[in-house]
Amino acid sequence: MLHIPLWKRVIILGLVGLGLLTAMPNLFYARVEAHNDAVAQIEASGVETPELVAARDAWPSWLPSGLVNLGLDLRGGAHLLAEVQVADVYKDRMDGLWPELRDALRAERATVGTVRRAASDPGELRVQISQPEGMARAVEVARTLASPVVSLTGIGETDLEVTGSGDTLTIALTEAERTATDDRTMQQSVEIVRRRVDEVGTREPTIQRQGEDRVLIQVPGIGSAAELKALIGTTARLTFQPVISRGSDASASPGLGNVLLPAADEQGVFYVLEQSPVVSGEELVDARPDFDQNGRPAVSFRFNPTGARKFGDYTAENIGQLFAIVLDDEVISAPQIQSHIPGGSGIITGSFSVEESTNLAVLLRAGALPAEMTFLEERTVGPELGQDSIDAGRIASMVGLAAVVLMVVASYGLFGVFASVTLIFNIGMIFGLLSVIGGTLTLPGIAGIVLTIGMAVDANVLVFERIREELKTAKGPARAIELGYEKAMSAIIDANITTFIVASILFFVGAGPVRGFAVTLAIGIITSVFTALFVTRVLVAAWFHWRRPKTIIV
Amino acid sequence: MAFRLKLVPDVTHFDFFKQQRYTFGASVVAVIASILLWAIMGLNFGIDFQGGTTIRSEGTQEVDIGAYRTAIAPVTQGDVLITEVFDPTFGEGRNVAMIRLQAQEGMESVTPETIAAVEAALQTVDPSITFPSVESVGPKVSGELIWTAIMAVMAATGAILVYIWLRFEWQFAVGAVAALVHDVVITIGIFALLQIRFDLSIIAALLTILGYSINDTVVVFDRLRENLIKFKTMPLREVMNISVNETLSRTVMTSGTTLVALIALLALGGDVIRGFVFAIAFGIVIGTYSSVFVAKNIVLWLGIKRDWSKPTDGPGGTQFATSEK
């Protein structure tokens, strides 16, 4: 098969050319990156500043501009794995259900008697009724509060599971509702984390759901994981609650329907507040850092129309009362209502620093997390360490490549030169493919490329060794080359498929840097088989047709 | 005749079974020794598998482990491990240390306050110190990571077993997988012996060794399959020797180029991936050895179906003798 049809040669060399072309932007990494950023920024803002235009024009737009993403270990940045406490939401649901249920049961006082809430697990609502005979009726009433589950799998089911035994009525979420709720909680959490990270304006963050209840957050270029955690680890649930009393007793019993919360700034001060808030952060439309009349940092906010009405009505009716501003179960401040506040806007004061008030404004704008998050894993890599790794990897690859080329040329002469040329094509194509699929290059990924440099020669070596053997049995050179390729094929295919299996397994079970390694390894296998079987062959065939040698030495 | 670098002469007639007692014996001893080392000395698990925090510090002053330890002691609980990192690529005035804090009871990951306190304490020892990387993994995740790692190695081995079985015969699959287990166990043994840090990237290295070693073994098997058809009556042992001799030049060449590239990375690639590269380089040497000295010995021992009309020559091969035409 030394004669390769023209169309085949065109396709093979075309693919190599395409690979090299798409790899090329990586040689001018900084310039292309600036170009891409400028294009994105101009598109987003619609404004063309001279700097942006200069950055954009530094790289011609008709050239490919895809780049290999650098992993966090090479670029520097922070990585967090958070677990969302999805069960928190069940408790909120139960707390929200209680007033509704109480009112419904009170209407049936004649049959069920008096009702009171009993202690229970956080995900349950337990109610004791004074007339156990009326339990059947109580269960019936409670069931009317249930609504159908909104999810694909939970069709035909309701969201509440109501059971009654003796004088206790127990209400919990059904399994289907829990699954649906968890799903919503996760979606909201991911969305809110994304909004918060976007508010800070870092580039290309990765925020994705992992498994049942986890969120993976990777932000390149951020100084430390602690900084990132401060931003996304705060629940930021803001509520405005009426104050019943203020005291210093941490163990005071707040009474039914009330809660005892500590003050954020004053040690040993506790407030008893009504449990149900008047308005909450969900009804905010805006929040921004500001200063109060004394010039201290504060956060100003504005409610949406319904929030503004509730806020206005309450302040009108309760002039002179204390009104607590609560953030994540701590009372930030509890000012006295001086007058009716009709416009739906206000200001939160407290002992903030400018930085804290800015952060709080960001958090309030992005919205509260539906549930608390705990952090299972956090990693920070400084940009200098990443750059060091890139430099070391680059030098090592060059030296490795030179040594391999030397060895191959010394062993196989002209055929070794062909193999070396295709090896360089091969590396180019790896980068080209990585750029096209938007793959991420990690430190182990660089090792994967170096390993490929060593192993890519293997397919060529198999063919060359086979040609040598065939030459011994005194066939003509053309026939020997043909047979060499033919007979080496099964070994090349089997050997590379097994390695490819391993790379796929690495990809599916690995995380982060390991996954990056699997991708480069798999791409390396594909490109090295392609270059060895097709590209080297085109080169060998071209040489053969040009020189028409009577004998060849491999 | 042009000059050619020949690592292996053109034609070789080594008898790879002659010293079988020693070569195969050495492999068995090495595997047992590795398992013992693994059991007795244990592996130096990184935080990926054990939980905890590592802080990489870099300063212009020489690393004084004693002073670091005294500075950190008041702000930490549990074990603190401090090691100085040496690397030829660092040059003058770069002194790097790794500080490892144990995971605290009941905490998901070491708190940022503790990390900040440790960093502040170290800055009192060496004001120029910076912290290029800080990693923290909670015990919950590290437990899962161990499982994922074990599952990955098992899945890869299983998938290879099935593939070789489909493409060759079951004896080849057993031989190939035995060689793989040999390679992986001995590599783990070396990590136990030298107490090199064993983390998630080492698992990736082990899987790469699997991939490389199977590559080598498959090439030998492929030639064996071909020669079994060519030399129908020759004893299996002879055919195996011919096959290994014929592919020897390729085996040495490929291992050679791969090793040359890896040695460059080992020497110049920096300390962050040195453990990873070391594992792969070591595994390639072992993998090459096992495809020549281990895999086919097991196939020989199991015996294979040859000419289907006659009983086989292999010692254990009679089970297929007359059952099929």
Side-chain angles (χ1 to χ4, degrees), chain A residues 283-299:
Chain A
E283 290 174 288
L284 286 179
V285 284
D286 195 17
R288 45 189 69 256
D290 207 339
F291 295 93
D292 65 5
Q293 61 267 44
N294 301 324
R296 289 181 308 169
V299 176

Side-chain angles (χ1 to χ4, degrees), chain A residues 210-222:
Chain A
Q210 277 204 333
E212 292 277 295
D213 55 358
R214 291 186 185 167
V215 188
L216 175 75
I217 305 136
Q218 291 187 321
V219 183
I222 201 164

Side-chain angles (χ1 to χ4, degrees), chain A residues 134-146:
Chain A
M135 184 50 83
R137 179 66 195 144
V139 168
E140 218 171 288
V141 167
R143 286 210 173 127
T144 60
L145 298 177

Side-chain angles (χ1 to χ4, degrees), chain A residues 361-403:
Chain A
V362 167
L363 294 176
L364 291 179
R365 264 204 309 277
L369 286 173
E372 206 187 312
M373 295 209 274
T374 52
F375 293 94
L376 306 179
E377 199 184 310
E378 38 185 295
R379 297 170 195 263
T380 315
V381 176
E384 313 82 28
L385 185 62
Q387 191 56 47
D388 285 355
S389 299
I390 294 178
D391 295 343
R394 188 179 291 150
I395 293 171
S397 318
M398 294 291 179
V399 173
L401 181 64

